[in-house]
Amino acid sequence: MNKITAEIYQLHPDRYILVSGNEEGAPRCPYGNIQHWVGYDSLSKKYTRFTKSVYKKLVEEIENKKQRQ
């Protein structure tokens, strides 16, 4: 699985999103548990890993959208 750094993310921020770990085909954590959020590359249609900084930024964006609704 590819790892997306902040530098890569900033080149194409619309390309990478977080999806629910309950989505069909979403990878599980190394211990077999369902992850709450999973990275996804909408161009290549593959799940991906984010560095901690990118992951935190995307989770923050999702939480901010929920608060505005």
Side-chain angles (χ1 to χ4, degrees), residues 1-64:
M1 200 177 325
N2 291 338
K3 189 172 197 177
I4 306 304
T5 63
E7 294 80 23
I8 295 170
Y9 174 79
Q10 289 176 356
L11 292 174
H12 305 284
D14 298 341
R15 178 177 174 175
Y16 304 104
I17 59 172
L18 284 177
V19 296
S20 170
N22 293 317
E23 293 285 325
E24 186 177 328
R28 294 181 175 252
C29 81
Y31 300 104
N33 299 317
I34 294 175
Q35 300 179 67
H36 189 71
W37 296 109
V38 180
Y40 190 75
D41 180 342
S42 58
L43 183 63
S44 69
K45 308 285 188 214
K46 293 182 181 179
Y47 291 98
T48 188
R49 291 182 60 210
F50 295 126
T51 57
K52 189 174 184 178
S53 61
V54 175
Y55 179 81
K56 288 173 84 174
K57 178 184 179 357
L58 291 172
V59 168
E60 185 178 294
E61 287 176 5
I62 289 172
E63 290 174 353
N64 287 340

